[in-house]
Amino acid sequence: MQKYLNVKILDLEDPVKSFNVQESTIYSVEADPIRDEADEIVEFWHQENPDLDVTAKTLAIRLRRASQHLERAVRTNLAANGVDEYWEIEVLMSLLRAPGYRRSAGDLTRESWVTSGAITNRVGRMERRGWVTREVDPNDRRQVLVTLTAEGLQRAHHVVATKNESEKRLFSDLDRAFLERVTTDLRTLLAAMESPASDGPD
C-alpha cells in the first residue's frame, strides 16, 4: 500500500496541493510568500535537471533544519542550568521513564543509537556529576545497571520542565490544528522508516 504525507505545499497552478511523492511539484515555489533555503536548493537542482524528482531531498532538508532549530532552542535554555550536551537530556529522560529510574547500559546504547563505548563515556561523565550510579546487575554480571541519584532525578524533572517550555515557545506562533496534523504525518513517516521492509527476503 502506498502512503503519502498529508503536508500542504504551494505551486503556481494550485495554491494548496497535497504532497505526492510520485508527482512532485515542490520546486514550484515562485508564488509562495514564505521562502527558505530549501526552496533555493530545490530550484537549483530543478534548473540543472528539470526531470529530477526532488521531493525526498526537500523533505530531508526541512526535517533536518527543523531538528536543528529545536535542538538549538532546548540546548540554549538548558545550558544555563548545567546541562551542556543534548545527549545528557536524552539519557536523563530515558532513565526518568524507566521503572525505578534504572536501565541497563545496553538498553541505553540501543535507545541512543550509539556504540557501547560512547554510552560508557557518557554514563561516566554523568556519574562524576553525581547524577547517576553504576552497578553490576546481580542477575547478569555481564550487564551494568545505571540508576538516577536523588540529584539526577531532580535534574531530570527540571530538564523535562525546561524542555517542554522551550518547545512550546518555539511552536507558539503555529496553529494547533496544523501542529496536530504535522504530528500525525510524522508518525506515519517514522513508522515507515523504522519498520522492516514489507517486501524484504523471508
Side-chain angles (χ1 to χ4, degrees):
M1 176 184 295
Q2 293 177 317
K3 297 180 180 179
Y4 303 132
L5 295 179
N6 182 26
V7 177
K8 302 300 183 182
I9 63 172
L10 300 179
D11 83 336
L12 291 177
E13 297 180 356
D14 187 351
V16 180
K17 182 171 182 177
S18 293
F19 184 100
N20 185 312
V21 297
Q22 290 184 324
E23 188 180 337
S24 175
T25 58
I26 203 164
Y27 44 74
S28 299
V29 294
E30 290 83 352
D32 190 345
I34 302 176
R35 294 173 55 80
D36 60 10
E37 184 180 1
D39 293 323
E40 298 176 5
I41 295 173
V42 168
E43 285 181 354
F44 170 79
W45 288 113
H46 181 52
Q47 292 170 3
E48 290 291 309
N49 184 356
D51 296 325
L52 180 67
D53 184 351
V54 294
T55 298
K57 178 180 291 296
T58 307
L59 176 61
I61 292 171
R62 290 204 166 104
L63 285 174
R64 184 167 58 250
R65 288 180 63 81
S67 175
Q68 290 169 343
H69 282 296
L70 178 59
E71 182 173 333
R72 185 181 301 115
V74 172
R75 285 171 61 101
T76 298
N77 287 325
L78 286 173
N81 295 280
V83 180
D84 303 321
E85 302 289 346
Y86 201 82
W87 59 260
E88 293 175 330
I89 303 172
E90 296 173 339
V91 173
L92 286 171
M93 295 185 68
S94 177
L95 293 173
L96 185 62
R97 297 193 310 270
Y101 310 126
R102 173 182 295 174
R103 288 190 191 276
S104 70
D107 287 341
L108 292 174
T109 298
R110 286 184 288 273
E111 272 206 1
S112 302
W113 289 23
V114 296
T115 65
S116 59
I119 281 295
T120 298
N121 291 334
R122 292 177 178 184
V123 171
R125 288 180 58 178
M126 297 178 74
E127 185 178 36
R128 289 190 291 274
R129 302 184 78 167
W131 296 353
V132 301
T133 60
R134 287 185 289 185
E135 59 182 325
V136 175
D137 186 344
N139 299 316
D140 183 355
R141 299 192 63 82
R142 297 170 300 177
Q143 290 283 353
V144 173
L145 299 178
V146 182
T147 308
L148 283 176
T149 63
E151 182 180 352
L153 180 60
Q154 182 180 7
R155 181 71 58 175
H157 283 301
H158 178 74
V159 163
V160 170
T162 304
K163 187 172 183 291
N164 287 347
E165 185 60 32
S166 300
E167 292 163 350
K168 287 172 59 179
R169 188 180 301 116
L170 186 63
F171 300 137
S172 61
D173 292 336
L174 298 172
D175 179 72
R176 184 176 183 85
F178 167 79
L179 292 176
E180 292 175 350
R181 185 169 67 249
V182 172
T183 297
T184 299
D185 291 336
L186 288 174
R187 181 191 297 119
T188 302
L189 175 64
L190 286 173
M193 295 173 69
E194 294 176 352
S195 64
S198 58
D199 57 351
D202 294 334

